[in-house]
Amino acid sequence: MRILIVDDSDTARMLLQTILQQAGYTNLVTARVAREALEVLGLRGDRPRDVDFDCILMDINMPGMDGIEATRIIKEDPDFKDIPVIMVTASEDEANLEKAFESGATDYINKPVRQIELTARIGSVLRLKHEMDMRKSRERELENLTRTFQELSNLDGLTGVANRRRFDDVYDREWRSARRDNADISLLMLDIDFFKAYNDRYGHLKGDACLTRVAQCLNKEIKRPRDLVARYGGEEFALILPETDLDGAHRIAESIRQRVLELNIEHADSETGVVTVSVGVASGKPSGMPSPADLLASSDKALYRAKLEGRNRVCL
Ligand code: GH3
Ligand code: MG
Ligand code: MG
Ligand code: MG
């Protein structure tokens, strides 16, 4: 427990120190006037900020800035506002008590200070502070968990790329953005060729590993931050390419097809002897298109044609 004592009277300061030390609080810092206290905290002058205090004992009546003004300055700062301030008031300060609480003081104690009272009040303030710190740390933990959960709930567990839910969200958002800007938007629908046979020959575990490698290959091929690779279904992936026209999308599709081929994943039951993909491409300006579902359907039809025409190819 680290406590800052602010009082202009040497006797008062010493008394406070002695009582606190007897109560077991040994980490004490003292300041003679308000300005010096603010300098200790790093709120004035050029010392670094020191937020590591558990409590401040603040005299009200001091030469220069009084304790009420100093408390207001401390409490206005987000880094310091949670440090409890106990006002130490002489009888002539009583009229200021209301202002003291308005400035953000947590509690007050009368001068002359009695050992039993100071110890009790400090104890209860520190307990409260501790509870508040614990609550804040639990809240932070909860926020982190929520964020992690949200991130995970958008990812496909096997391949690590976006899942269908995320695809739907992003597609909806990108569609509306494309409509607003009358911009191009393209979709690639991609399906692994002869994948059932791959599973049958090499087993499901190898099948899973193959899916993951293909997904990572797709992820490497997309370059723009707004592009999205998602696992659309079992061994089907969908790519959203905002602000990309048919020509550009076609080029990307062709280069992806080539990259997957170059992964050189053995597949004895495929015509090429390795794992390949078929890709359907659809593109358009939303203004010339009735609905996002239509663009999706076109990319699906194009994929179907790529399968019919022999696989390991791109169709528009
Ligand atoms: P085509 O070239 O026409 O696409 O033939 P195909 O065999 O790839 O197509 P089909 O749709 O008949 O088979 C898809 C296979 O993908 C069947 C299914 O077992 C497999 N599959 C889907 N999801 C997973 C998965 O998560 N892991 C593994 N290992 N296999 C999966
Ligand atoms: Mg004083
Ligand atoms: Mg397939
Ligand atoms: Mg399929």
Side-chain angles (χ1 to χ4, degrees), residues 7-9 59 61-62 111:
D7 201 305
D8 61 314
S9 145
D59 183 24
N61 200 0
M62 292 180 284
K111 276 181 182 177

Side-chain angles (χ1 to χ4, degrees), residues 158 191-197 199 204 207-208 211 231 234-235 307 311:
L158 174 65
D191 185 288
I192 302 181
D193 299 322
F194 308 113
F195 198 58
K196 190 179 175 315
N199 273 320
H204 250 82
D208 285 355
L211 269 173
R231 187 168 177 202
E235 30 84 81
K307 291 286 186 189
R311 298 180 173 79

